[in-house]
Amino acid sequence: MKTSLPTARSLSIAGLALLALCCSVLFGTSQLHGADAAEAAGSTTAEQMMIRAHQSRASWDGIVGFSADVLVSNNGEQVEGTVTIRTDGEIDLILPEDFPSDWVNTKLASLVQHRQAPRENFDVSFADEVKNHPLGRLIKFNDDPAMGSHYRIDGDVITEVHRNMGKTRFTISVTDVTRNAEGKYLPKSYSLSFWNAESGELASTMNVHDDWITVEGQDLPARLLSIESDNEGGRDVREIRFRNHRLLPVEQTAGR
């Protein structure tokens, strides 16, 4: 089963609930780098904060992708399979045909999206004058009025994403990150909340925990765990475990 990296506008509420990282929201407690002297003095611009936070994320620069064996669990139902993930967004997931795998593909697509190389410029500004919020400064995207995107940044970490998606409003809040050997951060624990944009009713929440492993100097997923509850009493506990990671050789892209 092959899939390609989706755009944010094409994702359903359930799919968005599996975004971890996206738009790459990553916050740390003991792992968080505090605001520096320039930020404390108020001399850092919103764009400088955004660029710094994006450049501080661990990315998959310089690799083609990887393959791994996977153990996938959906509310206790476990199956084994394999996956090949390429950094251009192509995912080849092989699981038993009778196993519901749409959520797996969505989670993997989000994983790839958040490991992309950082952007170098942003049209952003501070959304308010509050400088002592526990999750950092609130920054708005000036060029995204339709989705109303707002980020919070604390030090070099994006701590929250707020966004509108049609009839849905969602917030991603990260409570912990992990740092690799270079000091770049990766998501560890975060939550997602979805509301009905018209009524304000909370539709669903999800808690996510990610573990990582270093393979030949690259940060690869070891475990992705999500616990989702909705306002109708539904609950899903899902997990993807990765084993036997293998980096793809550069030659594998020849002729693609």
Side-chain angles (χ1 to χ4, degrees):
M1 179 184 299
K2 292 187 177 181
T3 185
S4 296
L5 187 66
T7 63
R9 298 179 188 278
S10 69
L11 295 174
S12 64
I13 295 178
L16 281 168
L18 293 169
L19 286 178
L21 37 75
C22 149
C23 342
S24 44
V25 295
L26 311 170
F27 164 67
T29 51
S30 61
Q31 298 285 348
L32 180 65
H33 288 181
D36 57 23
E39 291 167 6
S43 59
T44 302
T45 68
E47 184 178 27
Q48 287 172 334
M49 289 188 70
M50 187 68 70
I51 291 173
R52 178 187 177 195
H54 271 259
Q55 291 178 341
S56 296
R57 294 182 304 129
S59 64
W60 283 343
D61 274 347
I63 67 170
V64 174
F66 71 95
S67 60
D69 300 327
V70 291
L71 177 65
V72 181
S73 177
N74 184 48
N75 294 319
E77 179 187 359
Q78 287 189 340
V79 296
E80 294 183 349
T82 62
V83 67
T84 298
I85 298 176
R86 295 178 176 83
T87 54
D88 63 5
E90 185 175 334
I91 298 169
D92 188 359
L93 174 66
I94 301 177
L95 293 176
E97 292 185 0
D98 59 347
F99 185 81
S101 59
D102 286 350
W103 67 269
V104 184
N105 274 305
T106 301
K107 182 64 175 176
L108 296 177
S110 172
L111 175 74
V112 178
Q113 189 175 42
H114 300 140
R115 302 278 69 76
Q116 299 298 306
R119 290 173 54 182
E120 297 181 353
N121 55 75
F122 299 87
D123 182 8
V124 295
S125 59
F126 291 120
D128 57 35
E129 297 300 321
V130 178
K131 299 180 181 179
N132 59 352
H133 191 281
L135 297 183
R137 292 299 304 267
L138 184 62
I139 293 174
K140 67 177 179 180
F141 282 72
N142 301 321
D143 55 355
D144 189 22
M147 301 178 73
S149 297
H150 284 65
Y151 282 18
R152 282 197 184 277
I153 296 179
D154 190 6
D156 67 343
V157 175
I158 300 171
T159 60
E160 280 196 324
V161 168
H162 304 264
R163 180 164 291 163
N164 299 316
M165 296 286 288
K167 296 182 179 180
T168 301
R169 175 172 59 86
F170 74 91
T171 296
I172 309 174
S173 303
V174 184
T175 51
D176 202 3
V177 299
T178 186
R179 302 267 178 180
N180 65 15
E182 290 74 39
K184 304 289 186 178
Y185 68 88
L186 293 147
K188 185 174 182 180
S189 298
Y190 50 99
S191 65
L192 302 94
S193 302
F194 295 84
W195 292 267
N196 182 305
E198 297 179 356
S199 68
E201 180 183 17
L202 181 65
S204 66
T205 61
M206 175 180 287
N207 294 314
V208 183
H209 181 88
D210 294 346
D211 290 324
W212 301 87
I213 186 173
T214 302
V215 178
E216 298 182 33
Q218 297 294 329
D219 304 301
L220 303 180
R223 177 184 183 229
L224 310 178
L225 172 69
S226 64
I227 304 171
E228 181 179 10
S229 302
D230 62 40
N231 61 2
E232 297 180 351
R235 186 170 185 265
D236 290 309
V237 180
R238 292 163 166 165
E239 181 185 56
I240 308 172
R241 288 184 178 268
F242 301 79
R243 297 173 294 186
N244 302 322
H245 301 72
R246 303 169 293 277
L247 293 183
L248 299 180
V250 175
E251 297 78 31
Q252 193 156 335
T253 60
R256 290 181 59 83

